[in-house]
Amino acid sequence: MTKISESVDLDRRGRVAVLTVNNPPVNALSQHVRRGLYDGLAQATADAGVDAIVIACAGRTFIAGADITEFGKPPTEPGLHAVLDRIEGSPKPVVAAIHGTALGGGLEVTLACHYRVGVKAARFGLPEVKLGILPGAGGTQRLPRVVGVEKALQMIVSGDPIGGDEALRVGLIDELVDGDLAAAGVAFAEKVVREKRPLKKIRDLTDKIAPARGKPEIFAEFRKSVARQTRGFRAPESCIKAVEAAVALPFDDGIKRERELFVELLNSAESKAQRYFFFAEREAAKIPDVPADTPPVDVKKAAVIGAGTMGGGIAMNFANAGIPVTVVEMSQEALDRGLGIVRKNYEATASRGRLTMADVEKRMGLIRGTLDWGAMADADIVIEAVFEEMPIKKEVFAKLDGIAKPGAVLATNTSTLDVNEIASATKRPESVVGTHFFSPANVMRLLENVRGTKSSKTAIATAMTVGRRIGKVPVLVGVCYGFVGNRMLHQRGLQAERLILEGALPHQVDKVLTDFGFPMGPFAMGDLAGLDVGWRIRKGRGATSPVADRICELGRFGQKTGAGYFRYEKGDRTPIPDPDVEKIITEVAAEQGITRRHIPDDEILERLLYPMVNEGAKILDEKIAIRASDVDVIWVYGYGWPVYRGGPMFWADSIGLRKLRDRLLEFKKRAGDAFWTPAPLLDRLADAGKGFLDR
Ligand code: T1G
Ligand code: NAD
């Protein structure tokens, strides 16, 4: 065994040289990996005793891509293209032996090899588009030559990986192997030598791209098919252009075109935001005072109290993860209604071909409905999702305290109430946490976990671990009204109401946010969630929202009543501006002595988003959120903030906190309203010329 670089070893197995990459945690293509491959190949091809070369990786995965931490830094030698040219140009067959995830530059390394073998569980993908870039080391030129244009477009623009079976089926790998992977790679290489198989250079293949030549309709069709999900993103169109170049141009010219498009994206604001978000999402999993090796409760069984809008969805998450879950209701009728909706949701998914009916029955089989609280006695975690009223919550937790087994985690899905007060209804507040799901709970990926003042490290570690197990992105926050997401949303809502009173209209305000990249604006979102939910909470708190209250008094609760801020045609969710609402708005404005005026879109954007950022600064100062990037993860996964803008705190830094703070002061002066007072943290950072992410 020869050490070629700090992360690449060269070993001989008979007449086959094995280059092994060992760069934990994911064998990213850091400079020393590229150096090791480059020099190792030279050594192996120069060795007369070597007939073939295998590239394999140690650890849990094959190369998972370029080293993202090197982006934006001065390039170092050798570049990835040079490494790939040396692989493909090798006079001896080079075989890639793949396990784990061959992603991005990792898959591009395999595509430069002459042959590829992989284990069944391996995953193969080009996820660069999720970082706002495109495969920049030949992936857009080589992949279409192997899997065909349509499949390549689908893989590159979605960024989603495919599995071993499919990789074999589409010709991405030559053989599925199992057992000792390096040995299997060596055996395959020996077979290639023995059978004098050709050095299959993908750059020379044309049979899979020729059929697409002179057929621009293929690309036009594809553009149409992805238009909705790629709206606002910059990278997908460049990915398509690069594949078009693969069809239209000779290989080396295609590589040049790919490079141009890659560099343009790499320097774009969108990619900087998406790369920031890649690490922000991973940081959110780390709790400074809860070590990563804190043992969570091993959740084998779960329970949910309440099978309403949220309870049903929460139960589905556990069943989807293969965890048996008991659902407790207070009446058979409520239970049947709740589980009926769960079955309907599963059947709808099956009707769209994303589940089989066998899957549906298997998941329904994991959900057991009952009125018997005793059925929760062996649950490892119990999540309460009953009415949002403190007395009911406390009664439920007091009762649960007497039933749940020692060590079980007791969680509440409250969206506004004090988790500490709920915990005080038990004799084990250390076992109580908040697990704030978002509606629809089986779809929305965000999970705002709430630590109470007495929540134990075990309870917190369990909420974070379970969150990931059921496919959520868990973020830990502290106790305050509305936690992080809803608390910031509330500020935006207050300004949305002010803006329509002062002269804007609901559809204008909503358009400003959809143009910004949100899936929908505040008024359409209110209509979707149901205006009665907010109305009931306001009445409970003695708060008012003049226009919203007036609309609710007319029984207009949104989509569920066919009218809210907008009206809706039967069976259609498209919001239609309604003159009746405009009339209500002008009446309320007149009653409040407000002279309505034209409000430009950029002012609308500032007045909706700056107060959110300001509230985010207060949340950070109060340590309700651990770090600014957590706030961004919450907004991207919970509230549809466009990921190519990073999140509210990243976006604020891109504007500059001094400019943002000064604009707040201008609004304050004009409105004469303390609402606009900059948060102390914002003031401090603005004066220091710093950003939220510099802290
Ligand atoms: N570069 C640097 N660090 C990386 C990394 C990468 N490519 N991938 C992961 N990490 C770090 C991550 O930050 C975390 O660090 C640790 O590894 C474990 O990751 C030329 C230009 C492979 C599926 O987009 O999708 O190639 O927090 O928590 O859940 O065309 O990581 O522990 O300090 O995510 O098991 C394309 C990115 C790059 C794949 C494993 N590749 N990675 O998931 O672990 S662009 C990607 C992933 C490119 C070329 C272009 C996942 C994973 P820390 P993790 P995981
Ligand atoms: P819901 O009214 O749809 O469902 C509540 C269910 O709890 C009802 O089916 C009711 O029968 C049941 N229930 C009430 N008391 C019970 C008891 N003592 N024992 C057993 N079951 C009981 O309400 P929801 O929208 O699902 O909200 C539930 C919780 O989730 C609330 O705390 C709410 O604030 C929170 N939440 C709601 C949303 C949302 O968008 N709806 C989002 C996040 C969090």
Tab-separated table of all heavy atoms in Angstrom, residues 512-531:
chain	number	residue	atom	x	y	z
A	512	VAL	N	-46.541	40.831	-5.002
A	512	VAL	CA	-45.183	41.260	-4.621
A	512	VAL	C	-44.424	40.086	-3.998
A	512	VAL	O	-43.256	39.831	-4.321
A	512	VAL	CB	-45.240	42.457	-3.650
A	512	VAL	CG1	-43.874	42.703	-3.008
A	512	VAL	CG2	-45.714	43.708	-4.374
A	513	LEU	N	-45.103	39.291	-3.159
A	513	LEU	CA	-44.400	38.174	-2.515
A	513	LEU	C	-44.249	36.979	-3.455
A	513	LEU	O	-43.227	36.293	-3.426
A	513	LEU	CB	-45.100	37.769	-1.220
A	513	LEU	CG	-44.847	38.679	-0.008
A	513	LEU	CD1	-45.271	37.980	1.286
A	513	LEU	CD2	-43.389	39.073	0.107
A	514	THR	N	-45.221	36.748	-4.337
A	514	THR	CA	-45.023	35.625	-5.273
A	514	THR	C	-43.934	35.975	-6.294
A	514	THR	O	-43.139	35.116	-6.657
A	514	THR	CB	-46.349	35.265	-5.979
A	514	THR	OG1	-46.911	36.442	-6.555
A	514	THR	CG2	-47.348	34.646	-5.019
A	515	ASP	N	-43.843	37.251	-6.676
A	515	ASP	CA	-42.744	37.659	-7.561
A	515	ASP	C	-41.397	37.498	-6.850
A	515	ASP	O	-40.393	37.188	-7.472
A	515	ASP	CB	-42.909	39.129	-7.993
A	515	ASP	CG	-44.060	39.304	-8.978
A	515	ASP	OD1	-44.605	38.276	-9.420
A	515	ASP	OD2	-44.434	40.464	-9.252
A	516	PHE	N	-41.413	37.678	-5.562
A	516	PHE	CA	-40.186	37.544	-4.765
A	516	PHE	C	-39.761	36.076	-4.691
A	516	PHE	O	-38.600	35.768	-4.530
A	516	PHE	CB	-40.415	38.100	-3.357
A	516	PHE	CG	-39.208	38.074	-2.445
A	516	PHE	CD1	-38.231	39.057	-2.532
A	516	PHE	CD2	-39.052	37.070	-1.502
A	516	PHE	CE1	-37.123	39.053	-1.684
A	516	PHE	CE2	-37.942	37.047	-0.653
A	516	PHE	CZ	-36.976	38.041	-0.747
A	517	GLY	N	-40.784	35.185	-4.837
A	517	GLY	CA	-40.464	33.760	-4.849
A	517	GLY	C	-41.264	32.910	-3.886
A	517	GLY	O	-41.129	31.685	-3.876
A	518	PHE	N	-42.130	33.547	-3.057
A	518	PHE	CA	-42.975	32.756	-2.154
A	518	PHE	C	-44.022	32.005	-2.990
A	518	PHE	O	-44.470	32.526	-4.020
A	518	PHE	CB	-43.686	33.661	-1.146
A	518	PHE	CG	-42.851	34.069	0.037
A	518	PHE	CD1	-42.137	35.261	0.006
A	518	PHE	CD2	-42.762	33.282	1.167
A	518	PHE	CE1	-41.366	35.663	1.095
A	518	PHE	CE2	-41.986	33.656	2.264
A	518	PHE	CZ	-41.284	34.854	2.236
A	519	PRO	N	-44.453	30.842	-2.565
A	519	PRO	CA	-45.494	30.118	-3.309
A	519	PRO	C	-46.821	30.876	-3.322
A	519	PRO	O	-47.580	30.785	-4.267
A	519	PRO	CB	-45.623	28.800	-2.563
A	519	PRO	CG	-44.825	28.916	-1.325
A	519	PRO	CD	-43.936	30.101	-1.434
A	520	MET	N	-47.094	31.642	-2.254
A	520	MET	CA	-48.312	32.470	-2.217
A	520	MET	C	-48.105	33.625	-1.242
A	520	MET	O	-47.210	33.581	-0.402
A	520	MET	CB	-49.546	31.651	-1.863
A	520	MET	CG	-49.545	31.010	-0.510
A	520	MET	SD	-51.102	30.176	-0.151
A	520	MET	CE	-51.119	28.885	-1.392
A	521	GLY	N	-48.964	34.622	-1.382
A	521	GLY	CA	-48.869	35.819	-0.548
A	521	GLY	C	-49.667	35.658	0.734
A	521	GLY	O	-50.351	34.639	0.926
A	522	PRO	N	-49.582	36.674	1.628
A	522	PRO	CA	-50.224	36.564	2.954
A	522	PRO	C	-51.749	36.392	2.897
A	522	PRO	O	-52.315	35.669	3.716
A	522	PRO	CB	-49.856	37.889	3.621
A	522	PRO	CG	-49.425	38.810	2.531
A	522	PRO	CD	-48.868	37.944	1.448
A	523	PHE	N	-52.386	36.997	1.909
A	523	PHE	CA	-53.851	36.941	1.891
A	523	PHE	C	-54.347	35.599	1.348
A	523	PHE	O	-55.250	34.986	1.916
A	523	PHE	CB	-54.405	38.144	1.118
A	523	PHE	CG	-54.065	39.455	1.793
A	523	PHE	CD1	-53.135	40.309	1.251
A	523	PHE	CD2	-54.659	39.778	3.007
A	523	PHE	CE1	-52.789	41.494	1.893
A	523	PHE	CE2	-54.337	40.964	3.666
A	523	PHE	CZ	-53.393	41.825	3.102
A	524	ALA	N	-53.703	35.112	0.297
A	524	ALA	CA	-54.091	33.778	-0.210
A	524	ALA	C	-53.759	32.714	0.841
A	524	ALA	O	-54.505	31.749	1.036
A	524	ALA	CB	-53.341	33.495	-1.514
A	525	MET	N	-52.649	32.921	1.570
A	525	MET	CA	-52.256	31.949	2.614
A	525	MET	C	-53.282	31.943	3.753
A	525	MET	O	-53.675	30.886	4.253
A	525	MET	CB	-50.877	32.318	3.161
A	525	MET	CG	-50.237	31.209	3.973
A	525	MET	SD	-48.501	31.580	4.288
A	525	MET	CE	-48.624	32.111	5.992
A	526	GLY	N	-53.750	33.152	4.088
A	526	GLY	CA	-54.774	33.238	5.134
A	526	GLY	C	-56.039	32.488	4.723
A	526	GLY	O	-56.629	31.729	5.514
A	527	ASP	N	-56.413	32.694	3.462
A	527	ASP	CA	-57.609	32.000	2.948
A	527	ASP	C	-57.417	30.483	2.967
A	527	ASP	O	-58.357	29.734	3.220
A	527	ASP	CB	-57.888	32.461	1.494
A	527	ASP	CG	-58.625	33.806	1.443
A	527	ASP	OD1	-58.949	34.344	2.515
A	527	ASP	OD2	-58.843	34.310	0.324
A	528	LEU	N	-56.184	30.007	2.705
A	528	LEU	CA	-55.913	28.552	2.695
A	528	LEU	C	-55.982	27.979	4.112
A	528	LEU	O	-56.664	26.981	4.354
A	528	LEU	CB	-54.522	28.293	2.102
A	528	LEU	CG	-54.046	26.831	2.125
A	528	LEU	CD1	-54.857	25.987	1.139
A	528	LEU	CD2	-52.548	26.740	1.790
A	529	ALA	N	-55.362	28.674	5.054
A	529	ALA	CA	-55.308	28.147	6.445
A	529	ALA	C	-56.665	28.276	7.145
A	529	ALA	O	-56.959	27.531	8.062
A	529	ALA	CB	-54.228	28.891	7.230
A	530	GLY	N	-57.472	29.240	6.659
A	530	GLY	CA	-58.791	29.466	7.302
A	530	GLY	C	-58.703	30.713	8.168
A	530	GLY	O	-57.962	30.719	9.168
A	531	LEU	N	-59.432	31.772	7.792
A	531	LEU	CA	-59.346	33.057	8.507
A	531	LEU	C	-59.958	32.928	9.907
A	531	LEU	O	-59.639	33.694	10.816
A	531	LEU	CB	-60.061	34.152	7.691
A	531	LEU	CG	-59.535	34.371	6.263
A	531	LEU	CD1	-60.396	35.414	5.541
A	531	LEU	CD2	-58.058	34.782	6.284
